[in-house]
Every structure is written in C-alpha cells, then in structure tokens.
Amino acid sequence: MWQSFDQGRTIGQSGSEAGVILLDEEHGEGARITLERDGGVAPFAITCGIYDWMVHTRFFSDKEDALRAYEDMKKALDVIIQSIPFKSDPDYDTKMKATTRAIGEFVELYP
C-alpha cells in the first residue's frame, strides 16, 4: 500500500517544513506522509495528507518518537482511506459523515 514517493528522489531534499526529508511515502489510494529533520519549527516534523481531503503536520523534539508516530499515522491513514466511499455507493452520505468524523478523530489523536 505504501511506497517511496517519487521513487525516493525526495529523500535529502527540502520538505514543506523547510527540513531535510528523511522518509517520504505515498499510499496507492491517495495519501502521502513525510518525515523531516531540522525544520524551521522543531527538530522533526511529520506532514501527512489524504489527497483532496486534508493536510496535517506534527512536530517532535525526539527522532524515536517521530519514527514511532510516523508508522502509527500511516496505519491510521490507511484505515481512513479505506473508509472513503465511492459516489456510486448507496450509503454515500452516511459513509461520508463517518469519513469526515474519522479525519477529525485522526487530527485529535495525532495533534
């Protein structure tokens, strides 16, 4: 499900938080997560997003905490992605509400 973004070409480049990209992965169904070090706000930052839905950034002072959160967030993002309904789904409205709620819960769980 997750693979290196742009075949790993972004590793070592500057990221959205002005840090050096250490990890950068993309989900085949439309999400991305990036770990940077030495950014403008904190020693480590994780920026993630579900395309056309949300972008969220977290900051860390410790690399081990950031790596652990990176893996946890990937799993949580995968669950959300799997919940996004197709417009043709007869329960589209109900499932959309659940997906929107799940995104809100993700942001609360990973502040």
Side-chain angles (χ1 to χ4, degrees):
M1 299 254 180
W2 291 95
Q3 57 190 347
S4 292
F5 181 78
D6 195 23
Q7 300 177 341
R9 291 184 194 108
T10 58
I11 303 302
Q13 302 297 314
S14 181
S16 63
E17 296 302 314
V20 176
I21 295 175
L22 301 178
L23 297 169
D24 195 4
E25 295 177 83
E26 185 173 43
H27 191 286
E29 294 185 32
R32 183 175 172 190
I33 187 167
T34 306
L35 173 64
E36 301 174 40
R37 71 168 161 74
D38 300 330
V41 175
F44 297 92
I46 297 173
T47 301
C48 65
I50 300 173
Y51 301 151
D52 298 325
W53 284 84
M54 59 83 101
V55 175
H56 181 59
T57 303
R58 296 180 69 196
F59 301 101
F60 299 86
S61 58
D62 178 79
K63 183 177 183 179
E64 301 310 316
D65 290 341
L67 288 169
R68 198 169 16 260
Y70 183 90
E71 292 303 321
D72 291 344
M73 291 169 71
K74 279 178 29 179
K75 292 173 191 168
L77 287 167
D78 184 55
V79 170
I80 294 169
I81 291 166
Q82 301 308 317
S83 77
I84 298 172
F86 291 105
K87 290 187 178 186
S88 60
D89 190 314
D91 292 329
Y92 178 80
D93 291 336
T94 302
K95 290 180 180 178
M96 281 296 291
K97 289 177 187 174
T99 299
T100 301
R101 189 171 46 253
I103 290 170
E105 291 168 358
F106 176 88
V107 172
E108 286 181 25
L109 182 61
Y110 301 106

